[in-house]
């Protein structure tokens, strides 16, 4: 049932009329109290009638507004009023609640007994009935409620719908499918989502999110915002303390009063105006006097605060002067007031208007005003102008704040610039009324803070230290455990290496005669301190690409581990080079016999100069390929300078290493270790002192060596574990020692007694006084790229240990290099033997001329075999590189041969010697110091026919080779290798396969293309040197210009070759004269 707004107004007017009549009756009863007795019975009947009418009208109004079914009437209709919130009513309410609980328990117990007193069938029916009531949406529940509780029946909409349904029954879905996110958007969320149609938008945001049309992470903003905030209405001051009609005598509280509800704001009903006019005639004072005398209704009036309608309360308080509201058009200047001397000027007009304006919030404003006054007194501010609107806003917000801060108060100040000038003065806060106390409190607070923070910092530091100690201890325990595990693992790998070496020794003869695979790992396994200072370690390891030439043995298949990424051009060059030198072998066979593997860890660990074996160890793909290539095949591994990572690789591949244990190899590859081997093999060594570790020891030993060997003019200082002249320095002591001439005279004067300590004492004192300055100022370092100054060199020299060695007392010193192979059964094989060629320095070998022609072959071969046998006795197996120096002693005029260095491992000169042997198919005869090859004999044309199967006639010829792997030219990087080889071909630089002579190049640097190797082979030593020098000169002219010469070592090499050629020509002339003299004799 629906009621219009006019009907609701009539109901309210009737309610107001009943209230008015009740008021008049009470007023008349009070006026005639002294004259006539009040008929209480009639009054009680009138009150009950009014209460019943109000209750009925309230029900009608609630039904009209909410448009819902009427609620059931209260069970206890005899109750006349609602209990108040004072103590008596609360006690009565609690008693009623206890009574209700007791009744509920009794009812529950009664129903419990009734349920279990039923038969099992009745119990099942009762249980079904209760379960049906718990599902009110079912048809059975509705029927049950209609039968038991007399609910009104609802029309059977299901039957009506069924009756209306006619025609064919539709099969399948009769609604349109909703749009969803396309498949490509579901696969790739980064794509732009499809546009949303208006029909999809009507389904709601939740539907769009569930179907994926809106991303789940999207930030949604509703326009317009459904939640709108506005300020709460503030009641007029006249309404705050006005008596509400609810508190009139005889009023009965029936709950919600709809008299103050305004249903139509645009049109005011005449009945409502009539009710307001009647309410204005109510004498409030008489009502208060009457209510004070009537004790029945006083509790309700004291406890309840239900307001009259706004229009009624305004009309009652019309005598109160109107004050402008905060929302009026009054400016902020009108609401401004002043605080002078820490007190508010309450008598000022501005403050009065402010107080009247914000009287409704005055309780909170007083709190803020007190804080503002205290703030002004504390800082002794002469005057503050306060903005009333800001102060009211702060008072409203301060209800939620724990405390009012200074910044909040400053936001309400209009003359903030003047106030800030006073506040910013240091110590201004302590000039207030309680300034002394505040200062004392502040000092105490800072002192306590200082003490507590000091204790806290100490505690935090101790806690941090305890944490660091605990973490360090745990890390040390873990590291020690890991070290033990690694040590045990290393020992297991070493034992496996020894077992495999024994198997290699037993099967060596069989292995050389059968097919096997050789894995070449040109690794420089030096100590980490050496590798860190190496520049381009990958290039130094890649200088041995000529190891591929070992396929000259038909039983050998070669697997080369490359330390650099090789281009297809470089790989094709080496394959073509091998195919040209092996004409009887097809290209497919060469591809099957040669495998070049590049470790996949080359691009990793860029900050560490790791050796090739370490990178191969951390390359799982390369290791897997190696295992597949060597599975089920016999063979061995040839490393460079062996390291512990080589043992790991051998253990993984289950192949032996043709080499020595890492510790033994590193020990005897040092300057001190090689001297021990030379002395044990009875090979002469230069005067030297090994194992120098202190500066004073260096001075003492050097002074002793100078005194003992006065004829030595230059002394060398060598770091024990360096190589290739990197750790070498020299000093010409004779030139810079002031007492050198006196020293020679003293040695000559004492004669044989000069070796006695007492004769050398004065000379030792003088030499020790001069040596420090001489070494600091006149020492020359061979490789300044590794050690730029003497101080850096001396520091490393003393850390690692070093040697003092004498330089031969001769102007003509020749270096000889021998590469030998000590096989597992102890046989010493001389693989190459040649004279050294120097470029940058005479203490660094740049190239080699093979075979050697400086020393008697029998003498040097005997020394080499003795050194090889001594190495085998110490467990050194594999390839060994030995350096000698030879010169003519000026005193005896005899040729001397000194052993100066020994390296355990495969060397660059060994690789180039393999290339020379491969290109010529020749053989070195060290005892004759010749390198012989077989060439077909060129016969004159004869008229007779050749017989079938007649073998070709061949001759043996000598060949001499000059080789180097250290050619460097910075202009080479601007020329591609294809262009370079075409240029060499045009200049006549090439190799003749038939004559087995010419020039061959090895590509070392495939990235920067600045380094390369070269080998020249001719039928004479002079011709090989000349060809090598001419090739260098031609290449330099082709790739250089006067404006761009570049950085190169070609010129220094050519100069050294020219000096060797001069000596060679001179020696040939002497030999010719000697032969002629012998013939004439």
């Amino acid at each position: 049932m629906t009621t219009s707004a006019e009907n609701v107004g009539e109901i309210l007017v009737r309610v107001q009329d009943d209230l008015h009549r009740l008021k008049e009756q009470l007023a008349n009863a009070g006026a005639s109290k002294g004259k006539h007795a009040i008929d209480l019975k009639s009054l009680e009947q009138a009150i009950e009638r009014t209460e019943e009418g109000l209750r009925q009208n309230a029900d009608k109004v609630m039904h009209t507004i909410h448009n819902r079914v009427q609620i059931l009437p209260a069970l206890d209709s005899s109750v006349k009023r609602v209990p108040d919130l004072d103590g008596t009513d609360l006690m009565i309410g609690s008693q009623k609640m206890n009574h209700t609980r007791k009744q509920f328990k009794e009812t529950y117990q009664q129903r419990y007994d009734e349920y279990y007193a039923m038969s099992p069938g009745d119990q099942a029916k009762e249980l079904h009935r209760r379960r049906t009531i718990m599902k009110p949406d079912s048809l059975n529940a509705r029927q049950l409620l209609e039968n038991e509780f007399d609910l009104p029946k609802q029309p059977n909409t299901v039957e009506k719908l069924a009756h209306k349904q006619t025609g064919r029954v539709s099969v399948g879905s009769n609604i349109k499918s909703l749009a969803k996110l396309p498949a490509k958007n579901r696969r790739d969320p980064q794509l732009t989502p499809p546009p949303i149609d208006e029909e999809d938008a009507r389904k709601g945001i939740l539907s769009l999110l569930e179907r994926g049309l809106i991303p789940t992470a999207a930030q949604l903003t509703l326009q317009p915002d459904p939640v709108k905030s506005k300020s709460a209405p503030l009641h007029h001051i006249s309404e705050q303390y006005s008596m509400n009609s609810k508190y009139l005598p005889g009023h009965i509280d029936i709950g919600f009063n709809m008299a103050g509800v305004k249903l139509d704001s645009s049109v005011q009903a005449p009945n409502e105006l009539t009710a307001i006019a009647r309410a204005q005639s109510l004498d409030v004072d008489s009502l208060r006097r009457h209510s004070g005398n009537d004790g029945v209704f006083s509790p309700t009036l004291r406890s309840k605060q239900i307001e009259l309608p706004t229009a009624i309360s305004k009309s009652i308080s019309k005598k109160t002067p109107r004050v402008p509201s905060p929302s009026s058009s009054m400016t902020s200047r009108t609401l401004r007031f002043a605080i002078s001397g820490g007190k508010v000027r309450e008598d000022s007009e501005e403050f009065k208007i402010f107080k009247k304006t914000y009287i409704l919030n005055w309780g909170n404003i007083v709190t803020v005003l007190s804080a503002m006054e205290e703030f002004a007194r504390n800082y002794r501010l002469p005057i503050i102008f306060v903005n009333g609107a800001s102060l009211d806003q702060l008072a409203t917000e301060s209800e939620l704040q724990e405390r009012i801060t200074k910044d909040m108060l400053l936001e309400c100040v209009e003359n903030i610039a003047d106030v800030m000038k006073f506040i910013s003065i240091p110590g201004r806060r302590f000039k207030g009324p309680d300034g002394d106390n505040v200062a004392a409190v502040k000092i105490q607070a800072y002192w306590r803070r200082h003490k507590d923070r000091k204790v806290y910092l100490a505690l935090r530091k101790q806690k941090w230290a305890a944490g660091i100690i605990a973490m360090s201890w745990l890390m040390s325990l873990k590291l020690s455990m890991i070290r033990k595990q690694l040590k045990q693992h290393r020992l297991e790998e070493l034992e496996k290496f020894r077992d495999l070496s024994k198997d290699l020794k037993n099967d060596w003869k069989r292995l050389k005669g059968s097919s096997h695979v050789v894995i070449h790992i040109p690794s420089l396994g030096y100590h980490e301190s050496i590798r860190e200072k190496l520049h381009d370690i990958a290039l130094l390891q890649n200088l041995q690409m000529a190891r591929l030439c070992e396929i000259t043995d038909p039983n050998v298949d070669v697997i080369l581990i490359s330390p650099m990424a090789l281009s297809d051009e470089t790989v094709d060059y080496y394959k073509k080079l091998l195919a040209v030198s092996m004409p009887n072998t097809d290209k497919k066979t060469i591809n099957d016999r040669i495998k070049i593997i590049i470790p996949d860890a080359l691009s990793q660990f860029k900050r560490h100069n790791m050796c090739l074996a370490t990178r191969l160890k951390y390359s799982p793909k390369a290791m897997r390929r190696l295992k597949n290539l060597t599975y089920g095949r016999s063979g061995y591994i040839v490393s460079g300078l062996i390291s512990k990572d080589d043992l790991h690789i051998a253990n993984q591949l289950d192949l032996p290493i043709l080499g020595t244990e890492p510790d033994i190899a590193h020990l005897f590859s040092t300057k001190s270790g090689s001297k021990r081997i030379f002395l044990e093999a009875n090979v002469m060594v230069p005067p030297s002192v090994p194992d120098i570790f202190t500066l004073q020891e260096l001075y003492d030993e050097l002074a002793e060596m100078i005194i003992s060997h006065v004829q030595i003019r230059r002394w060398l200082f060598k770091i024990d574990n360096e190589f290739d002249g990197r750790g070498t320095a020299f000093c010409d002591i004779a030139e810079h020692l002031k007492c050198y001439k006196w020293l020679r005279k003293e040695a000559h004067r004492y004669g044989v007694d000069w070796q006695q300590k007492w004769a050398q004492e004065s000379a030792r004192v003088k030499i020790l006084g001069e040596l420090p300055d001489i070494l600091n100022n006149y020492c020359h370092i061979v490789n300044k790229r590794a050690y730029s100054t003497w101080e850096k060199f001396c520091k490393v020299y003393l850390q690692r240990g070093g040697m003092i060695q004498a330089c031969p007392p001769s102007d003509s010193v020749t270096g000889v290099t021998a590469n030998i192979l000590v096989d597992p059964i102890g046989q010493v094989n001389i693989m190459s033997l040649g004279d050294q060629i120097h470029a940058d320095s005479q203490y660094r070998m740049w190239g080699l001329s093979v075979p050697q022609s400086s020393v008697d072959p029998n003498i040097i071969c005997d020394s080499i075999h003795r050194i090889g046998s001594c190495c085998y006795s110490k467990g050194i197996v594999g390839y060994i590189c030995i350096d000698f120096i030879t010169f003519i002693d000026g005193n005896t005029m005899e040729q001397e041969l000194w052993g100066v260095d020994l390296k355990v491992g495969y060397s660059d000169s060994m690789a180039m010697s393999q290339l020379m042997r491969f290109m010529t198919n020749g053989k070195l005869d060290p005892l004759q110091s010749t390198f012989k090859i077989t060439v077909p004999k060129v016969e004159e044309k004869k008229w007779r026919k050749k017989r079938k199967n007649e073998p070709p006639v061949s001759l043996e010829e000598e060949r001499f080779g000059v080789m180097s792997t250290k050619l460097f030219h910075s202009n080479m990087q601007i020329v591609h290798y294809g262009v370079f080889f075409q240029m060499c071909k045009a200049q006549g630089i090439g190799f003749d396969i038939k004559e087995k002579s010419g020039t061959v190049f090895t590509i070392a640097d495939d990235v920067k293309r600045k380094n390369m190797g070269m080998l020249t082979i001719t039928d004479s030593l002079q011709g090989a040197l000349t060809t090598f020098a001419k090739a260098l000169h031609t290449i330099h002219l082709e790739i250089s210009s006067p404006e761009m010469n570049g950085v190169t070592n070609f010129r220094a090499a050519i100069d050294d070759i020219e000096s060797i050629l001069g000596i060679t020509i001179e020696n040939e002339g002497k030999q010719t004269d000697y032969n002629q003299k012998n013939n004439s004799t």
Side-chain angles (χ1 to χ4, degrees):
M1 173 182 177
T2 338
T3 309
S4 62
E6 291 78 6
N7 296 335
V8 175
E10 292 178 0
I11 295 172
L12 292 176
V13 170
R14 286 197 299 271
V15 172
Q16 296 295 339
D17 292 341
D18 293 340
L19 290 174
H20 186 64
R21 284 194 299 271
L22 179 61
K23 180 204 63 166
E24 290 179 353
Q25 291 178 6
L26 291 175
N28 295 334
S32 60
K33 185 178 181 180
K35 298 179 181 180
H36 303 283
I38 300 176
D39 191 0
L40 297 178
K41 187 175 181 180
S42 60
L43 180 60
E44 185 177 354
Q45 292 176 357
I47 291 173
E48 289 179 356
R49 187 172 57 256
T50 304
E51 179 184 359
E52 185 66 24
L54 287 175
R55 183 179 292 108
Q56 293 176 0
N57 292 335
D59 294 341
K60 292 179 180 180
V61 171
M62 294 298 294
H63 174 65
T64 302
I65 293 175
H66 296 286
N67 193 17
R68 61 185 182 185
V69 181
Q70 272 189 314
I71 60 175
L72 295 174
L75 297 176
D76 189 7
S77 59
S78 62
V79 178
K80 301 300 180 181
R81 65 182 182 89
V82 178
D84 297 325
L85 298 177
D86 58 352
T88 306
D89 291 335
L90 288 175
M91 183 174 62
I92 295 172
S94 62
Q95 291 177 359
K96 289 183 177 181
M97 187 176 296
N98 293 335
H99 178 68
T100 304
R101 290 176 181 175
K102 186 176 180 181
Q103 280 185 343
F104 176 76
K105 289 181 180 180
E106 292 177 354
T107 305
Y108 178 78
Q109 186 65 30
Q110 181 180 359
R111 293 183 178 179
Y112 181 83
D113 295 339
E114 290 177 356
Y115 176 77
Y116 283 98
M118 298 178 181
S119 62
D122 294 338
Q123 288 184 359
K125 292 180 181 180
E126 180 68 18
L127 184 61
H128 177 69
R129 185 180 67 85
R130 293 181 182 180
R131 288 179 179 175
T132 305
I133 294 176
M134 294 302 293
K135 296 179 181 180
D137 54 341
S138 61
L139 296 177
N140 296 331
R142 186 66 190 178
Q143 185 68 28
L144 184 63
L145 291 174
E146 291 177 358
N147 297 335
E148 293 193 7
F149 300 102
D150 296 332
L151 289 180
K153 293 186 178 181
Q154 291 185 350
N156 193 353
T157 57
V158 179
E159 295 179 358
K160 291 182 179 180
L161 290 175
H163 181 70
K164 290 182 181 180
Q165 290 178 355
T166 57
R168 296 178 60 185
V169 179
S170 59
V171 180
S173 176
N174 28 2
I175 61 173
K176 186 178 180 181
S177 60
L178 300 178
K180 62 180 180 180
L181 195 65
K184 60 180 181 179
N185 291 82
R186 292 197 297 271
R187 288 193 296 268
D188 189 1
Q190 295 182 354
L191 296 177
T192 305
I196 300 174
D197 299 337
E198 184 177 357
E199 184 178 355
D200 293 331
R202 292 195 190 100
K203 303 298 181 181
I205 296 177
L206 184 59
S207 175
L208 297 177
L209 287 172
E210 290 177 349
R211 285 183 282 155
L213 298 178
I214 297 180
T216 55
Q219 296 183 357
L220 304 177
T221 304
L222 300 179
Q223 293 293 343
D225 194 353
V227 179
K228 296 182 180 180
S229 59
K230 63 179 181 179
S231 58
L234 300 177
H235 297 285
H236 195 269
I237 186 174
S238 61
E239 301 175 359
Q240 187 171 3
Y241 302 105
S242 61
M243 179 63 67
N244 199 305
S245 63
K246 202 172 198 177
Y247 301 109
L248 297 177
H251 174 73
I252 292 90
D253 188 7
I254 59 172
F256 178 70
N257 188 3
M258 293 300 299
V261 177
K262 186 175 182 181
L263 301 177
D264 192 358
S265 59
S266 58
V267 180
Q268 198 170 18
N271 295 333
E272 185 179 357
L273 297 177
T274 306
I276 294 174
R278 292 178 180 177
Q280 289 179 355
S281 62
L282 182 64
D283 190 359
V284 179
D285 295 334
S286 62
L287 288 176
R288 288 178 180 174
R289 288 193 303 270
H290 182 77
S291 61
N293 298 328
D294 193 355
V296 178
F297 302 103
S298 57
T300 306
L301 294 175
R302 287 194 303 267
S303 59
K304 296 293 179 178
Q305 296 182 2
I306 301 177
E307 300 175 355
L308 287 171
T310 306
I312 299 175
S313 60
K314 287 184 180 180
S315 61
I316 293 175
S317 57
K318 63 181 180 178
K319 296 182 179 180
T320 308
R322 177 173 176 80
V323 181
S325 64
S327 61
S328 64
S329 61
M330 184 177 293
T331 61
S332 62
R333 184 172 180 82
T334 307
L335 298 177
R336 186 186 71 172
F337 61 92
I339 298 178
S340 177
K343 296 290 291 182
V344 179
R345 296 178 181 177
E346 297 183 357
D347 55 347
S348 63
E349 291 296 329
E350 292 85 353
F351 183 77
K352 291 180 180 179
I353 295 175
F354 167 74
K355 185 175 181 180
K356 292 177 182 179
T357 304
Y358 298 104
I359 192 65
L360 299 179
N361 196 25
W362 191 250
N364 297 329
I365 292 176
V366 169
T367 304
V368 179
L369 275 179
S370 302
M372 186 71 77
E373 290 176 348
E374 184 180 1
F375 169 70
R377 289 194 299 270
N378 290 338
Y379 287 93
R380 293 186 64 184
L381 301 177
I383 189 168
I384 300 177
F385 293 101
V386 183
N387 190 321
S390 301
L391 188 69
D392 176 66
Q393 184 178 0
L394 177 61
T396 305
E397 296 174 355
S398 64
E399 295 182 4
L400 304 177
Q401 302 291 336
E402 295 182 359
R403 55 187 297 270
I404 302 175
T405 62
K406 181 175 67 176
D407 296 335
M408 296 179 181
L409 297 176
L410 289 175
E411 291 179 358
C412 304
V413 177
E414 291 191 349
N415 58 335
I416 188 170
D418 300 333
V419 172
M420 290 303 296
K421 290 180 181 178
F422 286 100
I423 293 176
S424 59
I425 299 175
R428 184 74 179 182
R429 173 64 182 87
F430 308 122
K431 293 185 178 181
D434 57 343
D436 297 339
N437 296 333
V438 173
V441 170
K442 186 67 71 175
I443 293 171
Q444 292 176 2
Y446 273 102
W447 173 247
R448 292 193 190 98
R449 173 189 173 277
H450 172 70
K451 287 179 61 179
D452 295 342
R453 181 163 179 80
K454 188 175 181 181
V455 174
Y456 165 72
L457 290 177
L459 179 62
R460 189 175 69 175
K461 188 175 182 180
Q462 292 173 0
K463 185 177 180 181
W464 171 80
I468 294 296
I469 292 171
M471 289 299 296
S472 301
W473 174 246
L474 292 176
M475 290 298 295
S476 63
L477 289 178
K478 291 183 178 180
L479 286 175
S480 62
M481 182 176 62
I482 292 174
R483 288 192 186 99
K484 290 179 181 178
Q485 293 176 357
L486 288 176
K487 188 176 181 180
Q488 182 64 28
H489 187 63
R490 297 288 189 190
L491 291 175
E492 294 175 358
E493 290 178 348
L494 184 59
E495 291 296 329
K496 183 70 176 294
F497 167 78
R498 291 171 180 171
D499 295 339
L500 292 173
S501 299
K502 290 180 181 178
D503 297 339
L504 180 64
K505 180 180 178 180
N506 297 330
D507 298 340
W508 179 252
K509 291 184 179 180
R510 182 192 60 81
L511 190 66
K512 295 300 289 184
S514 60
S515 176
H516 60 279
V517 61
V518 179
I519 302 174
H520 284 276
I521 307 176
S523 175
L524 296 179
Y526 290 102
H527 192 267
E528 185 179 1
S529 59
I530 301 175
R531 286 188 283 106
E532 285 178 353
K533 296 184 179 181
L534 286 178
H535 300 280
D536 296 331
I537 186 173
L539 173 63
L540 296 177
Q541 296 174 140
N542 203 39
L543 296 176
Q544 301 179 10
M545 286 292 293
R547 291 189 183 209
L548 293 171
C549 298
E550 198 167 340
I551 64 169
T552 186
D553 186 352
N555 293 325
V556 175
D557 293 344
V558 177
I559 299 176
L560 178 65
I561 310 300
S562 175
M564 300 178 68
L566 301 178
S567 63
D568 296 338
E569 183 182 8
T570 304
V571 176
D572 291 341
Y573 170 75
Y574 279 107
K575 290 184 178 180
K576 289 179 181 179
L577 180 65
L578 298 175
V580 168
S581 302
M582 301 175 65
N584 297 329
T585 306
D586 57 354
K587 188 176 180 180
K588 183 178 180 181
T589 305
I590 293 177
N591 292 336
D592 294 338
R593 294 183 60 192
I594 293 177
K595 300 295 181 182
I596 299 176
I597 297 178
I598 300 174
D600 43 301
L602 287 181
S603 59
Q604 302 173 2
F605 313 110
K606 294 183 179 180
R607 297 184 179 180
H608 303 277
N609 268 0
M610 292 183 175
C611 63
L612 181 58
T614 306
R615 293 190 181 275
L616 180 61
K617 174 184 176 181
Y618 296 117
S619 302
K621 293 182 180 179
M623 289 295 297
R624 195 179 305 116
R625 187 181 178 193
L626 273 176
K627 290 180 181 178
N628 294 334
L629 291 174
T630 59
Y631 180 75
R633 300 190 63 185
S634 59
Y636 54 88
I637 299 173
V638 178
S639 181
L641 180 62
I642 193 170
S643 64
K644 294 180 179 179
D645 292 327
D646 292 275
L647 303 185
H648 175 80
I649 295 171
N651 188 20
Q652 292 293 321
L653 300 178
D654 198 18
L655 289 177
I657 299 178
L658 183 60
T660 315
E661 294 182 13
D663 294 337
I664 298 175
H666 285 269
L667 174 63
F668 290 105
S669 293
T670 60
K671 305 298 185 295
S672 304
S674 60
K675 182 181 178 181
R676 296 188 185 97
I677 291 181
F678 293 148
L679 292 177
E680 189 172 342
N682 295 324
V683 176
M684 292 185 63
V685 295
S688 57
V689 178
D691 301 328
I692 305 296
F693 288 97
T694 61
L695 190 60
Q696 188 60 41
E697 187 179 1
L698 172 64
Y699 294 149
D700 293 340
E701 295 294 342
L702 181 57
E704 186 68 28
M705 295 296 292
I706 293 172
I707 294 172
S708 301
H709 305 278
V710 183
Q711 74 278 9
I712 303 297
R713 302 180 63 85
R714 175 178 289 185
W715 292 92
L716 304 177
F717 307 95
K718 296 183 177 180
I719 298 176
D720 213 14
N721 56 358
E722 282 287 3
F723 67 100
D724 195 22
R726 283 173 46 86
T728 304
F730 62 91
C731 182
D732 296 322
I733 299 294
E735 295 181 6
H736 306 289
L737 191 63
K738 297 178 181 179
C739 61
Y740 184 70
K741 293 182 180 179
W742 172 83
L743 180 64
R744 293 187 65 121
K745 291 179 182 180
E746 287 293 309
H748 182 69
R749 183 169 64 89
Y750 281 101
V752 182
D753 295 335
W754 178 248
Q755 301 300 328
Q756 302 296 326
K757 295 294 183 183
W758 55 269
Q760 301 174 355
E761 190 62 34
S762 58
R764 183 181 292 105
V765 174
K766 287 187 177 183
I767 293 173
L768 287 175
E770 297 183 27
L771 273 182
D773 294 336
I774 294 174
L775 295 180
N776 291 333
N777 298 322
Y778 301 106
C779 263
H780 300 278
I781 300 170
V782 174
N783 190 345
K784 288 191 175 182
R785 190 178 181 184
Y787 306 99
S788 57
T789 60
W790 166 253
E791 288 77 11
K792 295 181 180 179
F793 178 87
C794 188
K795 181 179 179 182
V796 179
Y797 180 87
L798 299 176
Q799 283 179 352
R800 303 180 190 172
M803 171 186 283
I804 303 172
Q805 182 176 301
C807 187
S810 176
D811 295 334
S812 178
V813 179
T814 303
V816 181
T817 298
N819 290 284
I820 65 173
L821 171 62
V822 181
D823 57 23
I825 59 177
Q827 186 176 353
V828 180
N829 304 303
I830 300 177
M831 307 302 294
S832 70
L833 191 59
D835 296 329
Q836 294 181 0
I837 301 174
H838 305 92
D840 300 331
S841 173
Q842 60 179 334
Y843 302 107
R844 297 184 65 186
M845 185 185 74
W846 183 81
L848 206 65
S849 64
V850 179
Q852 66 86 23
S853 57
S854 302
V855 190
D856 184 1
N858 295 320
I859 296 175
I860 193 169
C861 288
D862 181 61
S863 300
I864 291 173
H865 281 88
R866 281 188 273 118
I867 293 172
S869 300
C870 182
C871 291
Y872 184 77
S873 64
K874 295 184 177 300
I876 300 175
V877 178
Y879 292 93
I880 303 172
C881 181
I882 308 171
D883 290 338
F884 300 92
I885 55 175
T886 180
F887 62 97
I888 303 298
D889 191 353
N891 296 328
T892 62
M893 298 304 294
E894 293 181 357
Q895 187 177 19
E896 298 287 343
L897 182 67
W898 290 352
V900 293
D901 200 2
L902 183 144
K903 292 295 180 184
V904 180
Y906 204 99
S907 63
D908 302 342
S909 58
M910 179 65 203
M912 295 300 290
S913 299
Q914 287 279 16
L915 178 61
M916 181 179 177
R917 188 180 296 108
F918 177 79
M919 297 300 296
T920 60
N921 198 18
K923 185 177 182 181
L924 176 66
D925 186 0
L927 294 177
Q928 299 295 328
S929 188
T930 57
F931 187 86
K932 294 182 180 182
I933 65 171
T934 303
V935 294
K937 181 180 179 180
V938 180
E939 298 181 356
E940 296 180 359
K941 291 184 179 181
K942 295 182 180 180
W943 294 104
R944 71 177 183 88
K945 295 182 179 180
K946 268 191 178 182
R947 296 179 180 178
K948 292 183 178 181
N949 299 329
E950 181 179 356
V953 180
S954 59
L955 296 176
E956 284 191 352
E957 293 183 0
E958 289 191 17
R959 288 291 183 266
F960 293 85
V962 178
M963 60 190 69
S964 175
T965 59
K966 298 179 181 178
L967 273 67
F968 175 82
H969 204 299
S970 59
N971 291 346
M972 283 290 297
Q973 61 183 344
I974 63 176
V975 182
H976 288 280
Y977 285 128
V979 178
F980 174 75
F981 291 134
Q982 291 292 335
M983 178 189 66
C984 292
K985 184 178 181 180
Q987 296 295 331
I989 302 174
F991 191 80
D992 189 350
I993 299 297
K994 294 182 179 180
E995 296 294 333
K996 296 185 179 179
S997 63
T999 304
V1000 180
F1001 296 95
T1002 59
I1003 300 174
D1005 189 357
D1006 198 21
V1007 180
K1008 299 179 180 178
R1009 300 197 303 273
K1010 295 181 181 180
N1011 298 78
M1012 63 187 309
M1014 187 169 71
L1015 168 66
T1016 59
I1017 303 173
T1018 60
D1019 56 354
S1020 65
L1021 177 60
Q1022 184 177 355
L1025 291 171
T1026 304
T1027 305
F1028 198 94
K1030 286 182 178 180
L1032 290 180
H1033 182 68
T1034 303
I1035 293 171
H1036 176 70
L1037 291 178
E1038 289 292 332
I1039 65 176
S1040 303
S1041 62
E1043 295 81 10
M1044 189 177 64
N1045 287 324
V1047 181
T1048 180
N1049 56 8
F1050 286 10
R1051 185 70 259 174
I1054 292 172
D1055 293 341
D1056 192 63
I1057 291 173
E1058 288 178 352
S1059 64
I1060 295 173
L1061 283 173
I1063 296 173
T1064 304
I1065 294 172
E1066 183 180 353
N1067 292 337
E1068 288 180 356
K1070 290 181 180 180
Q1071 185 68 27
T1072 303
D1073 295 341
Y1074 179 75
N1075 293 334
Q1076 290 177 358
K1077 187 182 292 186
N1078 289 339
N1079 292 334
S1080 62
T1081 303

